[in-house]
Amino acid sequence: MLSDPVCRLCGSAAKQTQLESNSGRDYILCGNCKLIRMAPQHFLPREKEIERYLEHNNGMQFEGYKEFLTRAIEPALKHINKKMTGLDYGCGHSPTLSKLLINMGYNCEDYDPMFVENPLDKKYDFIFSTEVFEHFFEPHREIQKICDLLEAGGILTVMTVLWNDIKRFKNWYYTRDPSHTAFYHSETFDHICEAFGLELIYNDGSRIVILKKTDIALPFNLNPNLTES
């Protein structure tokens, strides 16, 4: 019996498959939306999560990190302008992406549930979420929160490494980080678009996905408590 029988993104209880991994942790593939999720018994306690994030070499002083973030910024610039207000959702302990954008003349705020307080009491024209989606314990809930912060027509840029070959998952380097709990396929983002009223406008097939909020109610039921026979 699966320790986590219902997908935490699409709510399906059908087509759930246990996966082997050399990480020593259990993972489950949803055949409906192709999300791969870590079994919850392996989730890090909050204090361990924070310790892990503090190990990251993030900040304006790290040229490699700035170049890394540029991979998400450059394709997004085609879809945003300097009159817009943006948010770096999950900016980490040393906000950097917002500073890069501010230096370019854009307006961007910061938020991180563990490191940077922000009342999140308004909507944004664009949101970046870089190397964040893979840390979600509850992807449905977290993605809904982000979408609720976006204006209609707003742009969401996601950076997370996409899986594309289930045969390679067992040895995949991305599972070695114990704080990585959710792994997305390109088809997963098709389901996300349907569920949350988003339009896919860019996917590099590797780690950058850009979505536009349409606010169109589509006939797709994404209930985290849904079970199927």
Side-chain angles (χ1 to χ4, degrees):
M1 179 178 292
L2 295 176
S3 58
D4 194 37
V6 177
C7 178
R8 292 169 181 259
L9 176 59
C10 74
S12 176
K15 305 176 184 177
Q16 306 297 304
T17 305
Q18 192 94 19
L19 299 178
E20 293 184 359
S21 172
N22 286 337
S23 71
R25 292 176 286 274
D26 298 323
Y27 299 89
I28 302 161
L29 166 66
C30 177
N32 184 52
C33 70
K34 290 199 173 181
L35 179 82
I36 297 176
R37 64 193 185 276
M38 181 192 288
Q41 66 266 27
H42 300 297
F43 290 171
L44 291 177
R46 189 176 180 86
E47 62 273 14
K48 294 294 184 181
E49 264 198 287
I50 292 174
E51 287 178 10
R52 174 66 185 126
Y53 300 150
L54 288 173
E55 294 174 358
H56 295 169
N57 292 327
N58 298 351
M60 290 293 285
Q61 69 271 35
F62 296 104
E63 292 299 324
Y65 183 58
K66 290 190 291 185
E67 292 175 7
F68 177 70
L69 293 178
T70 300
R71 295 175 60 181
I73 293 173
E74 285 185 346
L77 293 180
K78 299 177 183 178
H79 307 285
I80 65 176
N81 63 63
K82 295 177 181 179
K83 295 180 180 180
M84 294 178 170
T85 299
L87 177 71
D88 182 6
Y89 187 98
C91 61
H93 61 83
S94 299
T96 305
L97 185 142
S98 62
K99 291 183 173 63
L100 293 174
L101 287 171
I102 289 169
N103 289 343
M104 298 168 66
Y106 293 86
N107 181 21
C108 187
E109 300 178 4
D110 294 307
Y111 168 72
D112 192 282
M114 297 183 183
F115 300 106
V116 179
E117 293 185 5
N118 185 320
L120 299 180
D121 54 1
K122 63 182 180 184
K123 290 184 179 288
Y124 295 88
D125 301 302
F126 64 85
I127 295 175
F128 283 83
S129 193
T130 59
E131 296 295 301
V132 175
F133 271 48
E134 65 271 19
H135 299 286
F136 290 159
F137 289 2
E138 301 287 347
H140 173 262
R141 183 185 305 166
E142 295 293 340
I143 295 171
Q144 184 65 67
K145 182 178 178 181
I146 291 172
C147 289
D148 288 344
L149 292 169
L150 260 185
E151 293 277 10
I155 301 298
L156 170 60
T157 301
V158 178
M159 173 185 270
T160 187
V161 180
L162 304 177
W163 74 267
N164 54 34
D165 186 347
I166 200 64
K167 294 179 181 179
R168 296 181 179 180
F169 183 81
K170 182 177 180 180
N171 299 305
W172 193 25
Y173 81 95
Y174 216 46
T175 66
R176 296 174 194 163
D177 188 327
S179 67
H180 289 178
T181 59
F183 308 91
Y184 306 77
H185 190 275
S186 285
E187 291 185 26
T188 311
F189 279 95
D190 294 336
H191 283 267
I192 289 172
C193 285
E194 287 188 276
F196 297 100
L198 300 167
E199 176 188 358
L200 179 68
I201 58 176
Y202 179 84
N203 182 354
D204 71 354
S206 177
R207 71 189 320 151
I208 309 297
V209 176
I210 302 178
L211 310 166
K212 182 176 182 178
K213 185 173 182 179
T214 64
D215 263 357
I216 298 175
L218 297 175
F220 185 80
N221 187 353
L222 189 59
N223 182 345
N225 297 313
L226 174 69
T227 58
E228 300 176 2
S229 59

